[in-house]
Amino acid sequence: MHKYLILIFILFMSDAYAQKVDTLYLERLLQSHPDLFQKILSHPTKNEVQILYTQIDRDKSNIPHFKTYSYRLNPHWYFYPASTVKLPTAILALEKIKDLQVAGLSKDTPLRIDSAFEKQTRVSIDESAANGLPSVAQYVKKILLTSDNDAQNRLFEFIGRAELNAKLKKYGTKYSRIVNRLAIGDKGIWAKHTNPVTFYNGKDIIYKQEAQFDPKDYAIELSNTLQGKGYMNDKDELVHEPWSFEGLNVYALEDQQLILKKLLFPEVFQPKDRFNLKKEDYALLYDYMSRYPFESDFPKYDSTEFWPTYSKLLFYGREKDATLNPNIRIFNKYGDSYGYNIDNAYIVDFEHGVEFMLAVVVQSNDNGIYNDGRYEYETVTYPFLKNIGQVIYQEELKRVKKFKPDLSKFDFRK
């Protein structure tokens, strides 16, 4: 018994020490590049930065093993997750199609969305699709390629708010909720009602889902939900009060990386903890997460509005003239709103056998006014995301691995 207690103590102390080292590693890495990061390190709030970096090492059977490092990680400190909530929504929409087990219903089945409550809108066409009709698959593509807000809202309506949050909890998220549509001022009672949805084939109805109401509020104890010194209201008037994020979506960084990990590496989780997806669902998600907008025909994008690296913040920032590395693919979902930039990514270099996960949030709002469209994205947040991704990539190039990974599962290059 005495030896057993000593062993437990040693393991406890080892874990505690490892956590301390994990916290310091990224801080020292940032400090070692003052030319890139000193402005943020010197900022009173460190620009709200949180970082989660996971190294991946494969064993001889190509099974991944993870070691995670963090910087200023705090799941109770609020940041606006913006479009990062679209990845779990896309995953769970595909899962719902499979769960329903309705004959003739697939991710490609055309759908109609009707209205049944105040402020709801209808949809019956989608000009971006090859057949001109909306579908779950088409919405997933638009979410992953260019972060389409309407696509997110329609999948939110299909899944239903209650089911969406129940599934988040089922799959292990501890500090997250998705309770609002995006970019339409969806709050309060309007967010609790979701539209009726009908799937059809020609004149035949395949599946019909009635309008739903979710009474829950999904309370989470959070700090930092009141920010700034003022905001612009709907009449474009300055209100001299803090901006409130209370009642909006919450998607903590560690939950973001967990969902991405379960999507990319289901083999390391118990079957009950994996998403219930078909092989082709995984392929759709992997493919379109890693595609550039110019690699898509349906939807087709204007390259001046959606340039190649448009959504790949954690390596390219938002540089329109960035040179693409043909050996690198980035499987990610970014967010961009209220001065916050977030990116949750798995970065792969097929030539050098590099793979790592990186989730980062950073904010800049120097004037303290919200909803005025004046945030330092170009000078602060985009460069930070690019630089931290590049610096960690260079560190990964130097890491010696016992077994070179087989990454062919993720190679969707055209």
Side-chain angles (χ1 to χ4, degrees):
M1 178 63 72
H2 180 64
K3 290 182 178 179
Y4 179 77
L5 290 174
I6 291 175
L7 177 60
I8 292 294
F9 178 77
I10 291 172
L11 289 173
F12 174 80
M13 291 304 294
S14 297
D15 287 345
Y17 179 73
Q19 184 61 40
K20 184 177 180 181
V21 171
D22 289 356
T23 302
L24 292 177
Y25 174 80
L26 283 171
E27 184 171 358
R28 288 170 178 161
L29 187 63
L30 294 172
Q31 291 172 345
S32 70
H33 295 274
D35 54 320
L36 301 177
F37 305 123
Q38 190 57 49
K39 287 184 179 180
I40 280 178
L41 291 171
S42 301
H43 193 278
T45 68
K46 304 291 189 293
N47 287 97
E48 308 291 341
V49 170
Q50 294 186 50
I51 304 173
L52 202 56
Y53 160 47
T54 296
Q55 294 177 346
I56 303 171
D57 289 288
R58 305 272 179 161
D59 60 24
K60 62 182 179 181
S61 300
N62 204 46
I63 301 299
H65 300 265
F66 309 101
K67 184 176 182 180
T68 298
Y69 302 86
S70 66
Y71 174 72
R72 299 186 79 250
L73 192 68
N74 183 351
H76 298 289
W77 187 258
Y78 185 78
F79 65 86
Y80 185 65
S83 294
T84 56
V85 301
K86 295 173 184 175
L87 179 59
T89 305
I91 295 168
L92 296 174
L94 292 170
E95 182 177 90
K96 180 166 184 171
I97 291 289
K98 187 182 179 189
D99 285 346
L100 286 170
Q101 296 183 330
V102 174
L105 178 64
S106 76
K107 63 182 182 299
D108 299 303
T109 304
L111 60 83
R112 286 192 298 267
I113 297 179
D114 295 309
S115 62
F117 194 75
E118 184 182 358
K119 295 188 178 183
Q120 291 183 355
T121 58
R122 298 180 174 91
V123 63
S124 59
I125 61 172
D126 187 340
E127 295 180 351
S128 74
N131 62 0
L133 300 174
S135 68
V136 167
Q138 189 67 8
Y139 286 141
V140 168
K141 292 175 184 178
K142 294 199 288 185
I143 280 174
L144 299 178
L145 284 165
T146 59
S147 199
D148 189 279
N149 285 324
D150 181 68
Q152 162 68 15
N153 295 342
R154 299 312 183 177
L155 294 187
F156 175 89
E157 291 161 357
F158 165 54
I159 301 168
R161 199 172 90 149
E163 182 176 336
L164 181 54
N165 285 281
K167 286 289 185 71
L168 284 175
K169 185 175 181 180
K170 173 187 175 181
Y171 289 120
T173 66
K174 297 178 180 178
Y175 313 102
S176 299
R177 68 184 184 212
I178 301 176
V179 293
N180 312 101
R181 300 171 182 86
L182 300 182
I184 60 170
D186 192 38
K187 285 186 176 183
I189 191 66
W190 299 283
K192 295 184 175 187
H193 285 268
T194 48
N195 312 40
V197 182
T198 303
F199 291 82
Y200 64 95
N201 181 11
K203 295 183 179 180
D204 298 326
I205 293 177
I206 305 298
Y207 173 73
K208 187 171 184 178
Q209 176 177 282
E210 300 299 332
Q212 299 180 62
F213 174 71
D214 176 26
K216 295 183 180 179
D217 292 318
Y218 306 99
I220 300 176
E221 186 176 334
L222 296 166
S223 303
N224 199 43
T225 55
L226 292 175
Q227 297 183 26
K229 61 185 181 182
Y231 63 90
M232 303 300 293
N233 64 17
D234 294 339
K235 299 178 181 179
D236 205 27
E237 300 167 334
L238 177 60
V239 178
H240 295 279
E241 296 176 3
W243 174 261
S244 175
F245 288 98
E246 293 175 0
L248 298 183
N249 295 327
V250 181
Y251 195 24
L253 214 60
E254 58 191 273
D255 286 346
Q256 292 197 26
Q257 194 167 96
L258 173 66
I259 292 297
L260 184 59
K261 190 181 292 182
K262 287 192 171 187
L263 174 63
L264 298 171
F265 311 108
E267 67 274 16
V268 306
F269 295 93
Q270 295 295 322
K272 66 180 180 64
D273 297 321
R274 300 173 188 170
F275 298 118
N276 183 28
L277 297 175
K278 297 179 180 180
K279 184 177 181 181
E280 53 264 37
D281 295 332
Y282 280 109
L284 175 70
L285 291 162
Y286 296 168
D287 187 359
Y288 279 85
M289 283 179 76
S290 60
R291 280 196 194 203
Y292 301 112
F294 71 85
E295 294 176 321
S296 172
D297 291 323
F298 298 100
K300 187 75 173 179
Y301 293 105
D302 181 347
S303 61
T304 59
E305 183 179 1
F306 299 105
W307 53 95
T309 60
Y310 177 83
S311 65
K312 308 302 181 184
L313 303 185
L314 271 175
F315 195 82
Y316 296 107
R318 268 283 170 87
E319 295 182 4
K320 295 184 178 182
D321 59 351
T323 301
L324 295 178
N325 186 323
N327 300 310
I328 290 177
R329 284 282 158 152
I330 302 172
F331 301 75
N332 74 309
K333 187 68 204 75
Y334 79 96
D336 183 344
S337 193
Y338 297 119
Y340 283 104
N341 279 149
I342 316 100
D343 204 354
N344 176 32
Y346 168 62
I347 300 176
V348 176
D349 181 336
F350 295 103
E351 180 182 8
H352 297 100
V354 165
E355 58 173 338
F356 63 96
M357 301 183 75
L358 184 60
V360 183
V361 57
V362 59
Q363 188 202 35
S364 188
N365 183 15
D366 283 349
N367 69 6
I369 305 299
Y370 282 82
N371 213 35
D372 65 349
R374 296 175 61 188
Y375 310 109
E376 295 74 42
Y377 292 132
E378 299 293 338
T379 57
V380 178
T381 60
Y382 293 153
F384 179 81
L385 291 171
K386 172 191 172 181
N387 291 334
I388 191 64
Q390 293 273 358
V391 164
I392 290 180
Y393 170 70
Q394 291 301 321
E395 293 296 306
E396 283 284 334
L397 285 174
K398 295 184 284 187
R399 274 206 322 121
V400 178
K401 297 182 179 181
K402 185 175 181 180
F403 301 100
K404 185 173 181 178
D406 177 1
L407 301 173
S408 56
K409 164 186 172 180
F410 300 111
D411 195 350
F412 288 87
R413 290 175 292 178
K414 304 301 178 184

